Amino acid sequence: MRMIDIIEKKRDGQELTKEEIYFVIEGYTNGDIPDYQMSAFAMAIYFQDMTSSERVNLTMAMVESGDQIDLSDIKGIKVDKHSTGGVGDTTTLILAPLVASVSVPVAKMSGRGLGHTGGTVDKLEAIEGFQVEIDGKTFNELVNKNKLAVVGQSGNLTPADKKLYGLRDVTATVDAIPLIASSIMSKKIASGADAIVLDVKTGSGAFMKDIEGAKELAHAMVQIGNGAGRNTIAVISDMSEPLGFAIGNALEIKEAIDTLKGQGPKDLEELCLTLGSQMVYLGGKAETIEDAREKLIEVMKSGKAIETFKTFVAAQGGDDSVIDHPEKLPTASYTFEVEAKQDGFVSEIIANEIGIAASVLGAGRATKESEIDLAVGLVLNKKVGEQVKKGESLVTIHSNREDVTDVVEKIYHAYGISEQTVDANPLVYDIIY
Ligand code: URA
Ligand code: CA
């Protein structure tokens, strides 16, 4: 087989065989196929698209390019959740203990991330003593015992994706649905999931800015997941304004604790119930989605969900007293209120701008090497649709520096205030099976 013939075949819009796709991915991973040929190949896919079976083969070739996590020692159906990323998205921290409370095993591998705040692993490290580096055997044992454990990413997962993503980034081939969908799904499948619930976000704070694009990506990923033998469902959710109130690492831990107790922001709670009921259903612990939802509401009300979180934190070496005493979490030295300049209704909160404001405070990483400040961040006091009076606080800034002029400016830029009443966007647009 020759790479040039495969590029030509794709360029001319023909369907590639499984053998051809594996030849490309294996050759690119081990260095036999150079970047320039792979660039041409990615561009051919960009213009010619891929059929369903090509997408599944591309995904599985990338899965098999590196290590695959073996979760077979864990009893039950392992359901993983993946979000395409947003601002203040605290859902993992809530969903994991929530669905574990109804006996769905959650074996979560999480990253640190380069977003506006840290990833799930960074957030958990806001809890004194919490250990994310645990070996595979301990990890499996913890999931069997408590139904929940979180481990930091390690090993050599999907090296083909890593290499190809880097190349796509500099060759204008990131925005190709078959490439995005196979990239995301290869990582989920290599992490050992039996079933997958995807949260595909749309809006200013999301990777896919418009609903049509989000739906197309969701359909592509669901088709790949099901084609690869993993039951997959996608929820299309809104990310035009940030989710919940808190954006920041320790602040989001506190928000997760509140939500697990049934005292969190309503939008965040609702999205967690929507995603969670899909997870419980796929995990085989409920007959219907409605039944699953009722079970989740029950564990929130009874206190079982927060107990599961406590047990999980203690099992990984963390100080579980923070759950009853969230004031023990890292706290910033200063708080500042950003006050409304006029009466009216909040008409928009540009999620991406709020994310950047949190990031410049130090809540996120600019580069892989940067340190995050776990204490800092923002708490939104007004969300879209709410009435506001001049002088009322829109946002509370938690900062470790005294001058936050730049952050205040970004927040004013993100907030729109109108004289007329405004409806918030729907939280969930669609669910794709
Ligand atoms: N996120 C990924 O993991 N891969 C892509 O290709 C795009 C976004
Ligand atoms: Ca939040």
Side-chain angles (χ1 to χ4, degrees), residues 87-91 94 123 242-248 251-252 255-256 265 267-268 378 380 383:
V87 179
D89 185 1
T90 320
T91 54
I94 300 158
K123 290 174 193 172
L243 191 62
F245 304 138
I247 301 110
L251 293 169
E252 287 186 42
E255 184 166 72
D267 61 342
L268 181 57
L378 306 172
L380 311 185
K383 300 217 37 185

PDB file of all heavy atoms in Angstrom, residues 87-91 94 123 242-248 251-252 255-256 265 267-268 378 380 383, ligand 2:
ATOM      1  N   VAL A  87     -17.933  27.039  29.945  1.00  0.00           N
ATOM      2  CA  VAL A  87     -17.463  27.945  30.993  1.00  0.00           C
ATOM      3  C   VAL A  87     -18.223  27.645  32.288  1.00  0.00           C
ATOM      4  O   VAL A  87     -19.444  27.657  32.309  1.00  0.00           O
ATOM      5  CB  VAL A  87     -17.684  29.414  30.566  1.00  0.00           C
ATOM      6  CG1 VAL A  87     -17.223  30.350  31.666  1.00  0.00           C
ATOM      7  CG2 VAL A  87     -16.942  29.695  29.270  1.00  0.00           C
ATOM      8  N   GLY A  88     -17.466  27.378  33.351  1.00  0.00           N
ATOM      9  CA  GLY A  88     -18.087  27.103  34.646  1.00  0.00           C
ATOM     10  C   GLY A  88     -18.855  25.802  34.642  1.00  0.00           C
ATOM     11  O   GLY A  88     -19.840  25.641  35.351  1.00  0.00           O
ATOM     12  N   ASP A  89     -18.417  24.859  33.827  1.00  0.00           N
ATOM     13  CA  ASP A  89     -19.122  23.589  33.690  1.00  0.00           C
ATOM     14  C   ASP A  89     -18.704  22.640  34.803  1.00  0.00           C
ATOM     15  O   ASP A  89     -17.726  21.920  34.694  1.00  0.00           O
ATOM     16  CB  ASP A  89     -18.808  22.981  32.322  1.00  0.00           C
ATOM     17  CG  ASP A  89     -19.601  21.716  32.084  1.00  0.00           C
ATOM     18  OD1 ASP A  89     -20.397  21.343  32.964  1.00  0.00           O
ATOM     19  OD2 ASP A  89     -19.424  21.103  31.022  1.00  0.00           O
ATOM     20  N   THR A  90     -19.471  22.651  35.873  1.00  0.00           N
ATOM     21  CA  THR A  90     -19.152  21.880  37.071  1.00  0.00           C
ATOM     22  C   THR A  90     -19.780  20.492  37.036  1.00  0.00           C
ATOM     23  O   THR A  90     -19.734  19.766  38.023  1.00  0.00           O
ATOM     24  CB  THR A  90     -19.673  22.664  38.307  1.00  0.00           C
ATOM     25  OG1 THR A  90     -19.400  24.051  38.104  1.00  0.00           O
ATOM     26  CG2 THR A  90     -19.013  22.241  39.584  1.00  0.00           C
ATOM     27  N   THR A  91     -20.352  20.100  35.892  1.00  0.00           N
ATOM     28  CA  THR A  91     -21.208  18.904  35.879  1.00  0.00           C
ATOM     29  C   THR A  91     -20.511  17.611  36.300  1.00  0.00           C
ATOM     30  O   THR A  91     -21.106  16.832  37.017  1.00  0.00           O
ATOM     31  CB  THR A  91     -21.861  18.673  34.497  1.00  0.00           C
ATOM     32  OG1 THR A  91     -20.835  18.642  33.520  1.00  0.00           O
ATOM     33  CG2 THR A  91     -22.854  19.753  34.154  1.00  0.00           C
ATOM     34  N   ILE A  94     -20.499  16.828  39.941  1.00  0.00           N
ATOM     35  CA  ILE A  94     -21.821  16.538  40.500  1.00  0.00           C
ATOM     36  C   ILE A  94     -22.321  15.189  39.999  1.00  0.00           C
ATOM     37  O   ILE A  94     -22.805  14.361  40.764  1.00  0.00           O
ATOM     38  CB  ILE A  94     -22.811  17.653  40.108  1.00  0.00           C
ATOM     39  CG1 ILE A  94     -22.311  18.992  40.657  1.00  0.00           C
ATOM     40  CG2 ILE A  94     -24.223  17.353  40.594  1.00  0.00           C
ATOM     41  CD1 ILE A  94     -22.863  20.194  39.941  1.00  0.00           C
ATOM     42  N   LYS A 123      -9.624  20.812  40.020  1.00  0.00           N
ATOM     43  CA  LYS A 123     -10.669  21.229  40.959  1.00  0.00           C
ATOM     44  C   LYS A 123     -10.642  20.356  42.206  1.00  0.00           C
ATOM     45  O   LYS A 123     -10.715  20.847  43.330  1.00  0.00           O
ATOM     46  CB  LYS A 123     -12.041  21.173  40.278  1.00  0.00           C
ATOM     47  CG  LYS A 123     -12.209  22.250  39.205  1.00  0.00           C
ATOM     48  CD  LYS A 123     -13.512  22.099  38.437  1.00  0.00           C
ATOM     49  CE  LYS A 123     -13.483  22.995  37.185  1.00  0.00           C
ATOM     50  NZ  LYS A 123     -14.629  22.754  36.297  1.00  0.00           N
ATOM     51  N   PRO A 242     -22.699  31.288  31.038  1.00  0.00           N
ATOM     52  CA  PRO A 242     -22.051  30.234  31.824  1.00  0.00           C
ATOM     53  C   PRO A 242     -23.077  29.391  32.572  1.00  0.00           C
ATOM     54  O   PRO A 242     -24.180  29.851  32.860  1.00  0.00           O
ATOM     55  CB  PRO A 242     -21.176  31.008  32.803  1.00  0.00           C
ATOM     56  CG  PRO A 242     -20.965  32.335  32.172  1.00  0.00           C
ATOM     57  CD  PRO A 242     -22.219  32.633  31.425  1.00  0.00           C
ATOM     58  N   LEU A 243     -22.704  28.162  32.886  1.00  0.00           N
ATOM     59  CA  LEU A 243     -23.585  27.242  33.602  1.00  0.00           C
ATOM     60  C   LEU A 243     -23.395  27.439  35.105  1.00  0.00           C
ATOM     61  O   LEU A 243     -22.270  27.479  35.589  1.00  0.00           O
ATOM     62  CB  LEU A 243     -23.212  25.816  33.194  1.00  0.00           C
ATOM     63  CG  LEU A 243     -24.144  24.702  33.614  1.00  0.00           C
ATOM     64  CD1 LEU A 243     -25.521  24.859  32.999  1.00  0.00           C
ATOM     65  CD2 LEU A 243     -23.553  23.360  33.227  1.00  0.00           C
ATOM     66  N   GLY A 244     -24.497  27.564  35.832  1.00  0.00           N
ATOM     67  CA  GLY A 244     -24.396  27.758  37.277  1.00  0.00           C
ATOM     68  C   GLY A 244     -23.935  29.167  37.601  1.00  0.00           C
ATOM     69  O   GLY A 244     -24.011  30.077  36.772  1.00  0.00           O
ATOM     70  N   PHE A 245     -23.445  29.350  38.826  1.00  0.00           N
ATOM     71  CA  PHE A 245     -22.984  30.689  39.254  1.00  0.00           C
ATOM     72  C   PHE A 245     -21.465  30.784  39.314  1.00  0.00           C
ATOM     73  O   PHE A 245     -20.899  31.848  39.090  1.00  0.00           O
ATOM     74  CB  PHE A 245     -23.529  31.002  40.654  1.00  0.00           C
ATOM     75  CG  PHE A 245     -25.031  30.923  40.780  1.00  0.00           C
ATOM     76  CD1 PHE A 245     -25.612  30.319  41.896  1.00  0.00           C
ATOM     77  CD2 PHE A 245     -25.863  31.461  39.802  1.00  0.00           C
ATOM     78  CE1 PHE A 245     -27.005  30.245  42.022  1.00  0.00           C
ATOM     79  CE2 PHE A 245     -27.249  31.401  39.921  1.00  0.00           C
ATOM     80  CZ  PHE A 245     -27.819  30.788  41.029  1.00  0.00           C
ATOM     81  N   ALA A 246     -20.797  29.693  39.657  1.00  0.00           N
ATOM     82  CA  ALA A 246     -19.368  29.754  39.989  1.00  0.00           C
ATOM     83  C   ALA A 246     -18.483  29.420  38.797  1.00  0.00           C
ATOM     84  O   ALA A 246     -18.773  28.482  38.042  1.00  0.00           O
ATOM     85  CB  ALA A 246     -19.069  28.783  41.132  1.00  0.00           C
ATOM     86  N   ILE A 247     -17.420  30.192  38.619  1.00  0.00           N
ATOM     87  CA  ILE A 247     -16.390  29.877  37.627  1.00  0.00           C
ATOM     88  C   ILE A 247     -15.052  30.007  38.357  1.00  0.00           C
ATOM     89  O   ILE A 247     -14.638  31.110  38.711  1.00  0.00           O
ATOM     90  CB  ILE A 247     -16.432  30.827  36.407  1.00  0.00           C
ATOM     91  CG1 ILE A 247     -17.790  30.745  35.717  1.00  0.00           C
ATOM     92  CG2 ILE A 247     -15.343  30.486  35.394  1.00  0.00           C
ATOM     93  CD1 ILE A 247     -18.621  31.975  35.886  1.00  0.00           C
ATOM     94  N   GLY A 248     -14.420  28.904  38.611  1.00  0.00           N
ATOM     95  CA  GLY A 248     -13.184  28.896  39.397  1.00  0.00           C
ATOM     96  C   GLY A 248     -13.101  27.528  40.034  1.00  0.00           C
ATOM     97  O   GLY A 248     -14.094  26.802  40.071  1.00  0.00           O
ATOM     98  N   LEU A 251     -14.238  27.417  43.997  1.00  0.00           N
ATOM     99  CA  LEU A 251     -15.617  27.930  43.941  1.00  0.00           C
ATOM    100  C   LEU A 251     -16.560  26.903  43.317  1.00  0.00           C
ATOM    101  O   LEU A 251     -17.703  26.755  43.740  1.00  0.00           O
ATOM    102  CB  LEU A 251     -15.668  29.238  43.142  1.00  0.00           C
ATOM    103  CG  LEU A 251     -14.959  30.438  43.770  1.00  0.00           C
ATOM    104  CD1 LEU A 251     -14.850  31.591  42.764  1.00  0.00           C
ATOM    105  CD2 LEU A 251     -15.685  30.907  45.034  1.00  0.00           C
ATOM    106  N   GLU A 252     -16.060  26.175  42.332  1.00  0.00           N
ATOM    107  CA  GLU A 252     -16.904  25.157  41.692  1.00  0.00           C
ATOM    108  C   GLU A 252     -17.059  23.914  42.564  1.00  0.00           C
ATOM    109  O   GLU A 252     -18.071  23.227  42.496  1.00  0.00           O
ATOM    110  CB  GLU A 252     -16.365  24.801  40.302  1.00  0.00           C
ATOM    111  CG  GLU A 252     -16.628  25.933  39.310  1.00  0.00           C
ATOM    112  CD  GLU A 252     -16.251  25.584  37.881  1.00  0.00           C
ATOM    113  OE1 GLU A 252     -16.521  24.460  37.437  1.00  0.00           O
ATOM    114  OE2 GLU A 252     -15.661  26.455  37.219  1.00  0.00           O
ATOM    115  N   GLU A 255     -19.789  24.836  44.720  1.00  0.00           N
ATOM    116  CA  GLU A 255     -21.042  24.787  43.958  1.00  0.00           C
ATOM    117  C   GLU A 255     -21.515  23.340  43.754  1.00  0.00           C
ATOM    118  O   GLU A 255     -22.717  23.053  43.807  1.00  0.00           O
ATOM    119  CB  GLU A 255     -20.840  25.474  42.601  1.00  0.00           C
ATOM    120  CG  GLU A 255     -22.098  25.572  41.773  1.00  0.00           C
ATOM    121  CD  GLU A 255     -21.939  26.538  40.608  1.00  0.00           C
ATOM    122  OE1 GLU A 255     -21.232  26.203  39.638  1.00  0.00           O
ATOM    123  OE2 GLU A 255     -22.506  27.636  40.677  1.00  0.00           O
ATOM    124  N   ALA A 256     -20.570  22.442  43.539  1.00  0.00           N
ATOM    125  CA  ALA A 256     -20.911  21.025  43.377  1.00  0.00           C
ATOM    126  C   ALA A 256     -21.512  20.474  44.673  1.00  0.00           C
ATOM    127  O   ALA A 256     -22.507  19.752  44.652  1.00  0.00           O
ATOM    128  CB  ALA A 256     -19.678  20.220  42.978  1.00  0.00           C
ATOM    129  N   PRO A 265     -27.453  25.990  41.866  1.00  0.00           N
ATOM    130  CA  PRO A 265     -28.150  26.744  40.825  1.00  0.00           C
ATOM    131  C   PRO A 265     -29.064  25.812  40.027  1.00  0.00           C
ATOM    132  O   PRO A 265     -28.694  24.678  39.742  1.00  0.00           O
ATOM    133  CB  PRO A 265     -27.015  27.252  39.928  1.00  0.00           C
ATOM    134  CG  PRO A 265     -25.762  27.034  40.684  1.00  0.00           C
ATOM    135  CD  PRO A 265     -25.996  25.978  41.694  1.00  0.00           C
ATOM    136  N   ASP A 267     -30.142  25.804  36.888  1.00  0.00           N
ATOM    137  CA  ASP A 267     -29.740  25.361  35.542  1.00  0.00           C
ATOM    138  C   ASP A 267     -28.735  24.216  35.640  1.00  0.00           C
ATOM    139  O   ASP A 267     -28.829  23.211  34.937  1.00  0.00           O
ATOM    140  CB  ASP A 267     -29.208  26.530  34.681  1.00  0.00           C
ATOM    141  CG  ASP A 267     -27.973  27.223  35.253  1.00  0.00           C
ATOM    142  OD1 ASP A 267     -27.690  27.074  36.467  1.00  0.00           O
ATOM    143  OD2 ASP A 267     -27.281  27.935  34.494  1.00  0.00           O
ATOM    144  N   LEU A 268     -27.793  24.363  36.563  1.00  0.00           N
ATOM    145  CA  LEU A 268     -26.775  23.329  36.748  1.00  0.00           C
ATOM    146  C   LEU A 268     -27.425  22.028  37.232  1.00  0.00           C
ATOM    147  O   LEU A 268     -27.121  20.936  36.720  1.00  0.00           O
ATOM    148  CB  LEU A 268     -25.738  23.834  37.752  1.00  0.00           C
ATOM    149  CG  LEU A 268     -24.570  22.910  38.060  1.00  0.00           C
ATOM    150  CD1 LEU A 268     -23.797  22.542  36.809  1.00  0.00           C
ATOM    151  CD2 LEU A 268     -23.630  23.572  39.084  1.00  0.00           C
ATOM    152  N   LEU A 378     -14.967  33.731  39.734  1.00  0.00           N
ATOM    153  CA  LEU A 378     -16.118  34.632  39.690  1.00  0.00           C
ATOM    154  C   LEU A 378     -17.360  33.903  40.177  1.00  0.00           C
ATOM    155  O   LEU A 378     -17.494  32.707  39.962  1.00  0.00           O
ATOM    156  CB  LEU A 378     -16.369  35.091  38.249  1.00  0.00           C
ATOM    157  CG  LEU A 378     -15.188  35.715  37.506  1.00  0.00           C
ATOM    158  CD1 LEU A 378     -15.560  35.930  36.042  1.00  0.00           C
ATOM    159  CD2 LEU A 378     -14.781  37.035  38.152  1.00  0.00           C
ATOM    160  N   LEU A 380     -21.440  34.524  39.634  1.00  0.00           N
ATOM    161  CA  LEU A 380     -22.451  35.346  38.977  1.00  0.00           C
ATOM    162  C   LEU A 380     -23.645  35.504  39.923  1.00  0.00           C
ATOM    163  O   LEU A 380     -24.198  34.513  40.395  1.00  0.00           O
ATOM    164  CB  LEU A 380     -22.919  34.698  37.672  1.00  0.00           C
ATOM    165  CG  LEU A 380     -21.847  34.220  36.694  1.00  0.00           C
ATOM    166  CD1 LEU A 380     -22.498  33.721  35.399  1.00  0.00           C
ATOM    167  CD2 LEU A 380     -20.853  35.336  36.369  1.00  0.00           C
ATOM    168  N   LYS A 383     -28.274  36.210  36.395  1.00  0.00           N
ATOM    169  CA  LYS A 383     -28.186  35.453  35.146  1.00  0.00           C
ATOM    170  C   LYS A 383     -29.193  35.987  34.133  1.00  0.00           C
ATOM    171  O   LYS A 383     -30.019  36.831  34.476  1.00  0.00           O
ATOM    172  CB  LYS A 383     -28.382  33.965  35.428  1.00  0.00           C
ATOM    173  CG  LYS A 383     -27.298  33.473  36.395  1.00  0.00           C
ATOM    174  CD  LYS A 383     -26.765  32.102  36.178  1.00  0.00           C
ATOM    175  CE  LYS A 383     -26.592  31.628  34.809  1.00  0.00           C
ATOM    176  NZ  LYS A 383     -26.171  30.223  34.731  1.00  0.00           N
TER     177      LYS A 383
HETATM  178 CA    CA B   2     -20.477  26.663  37.460  1.00  0.00          CA
END
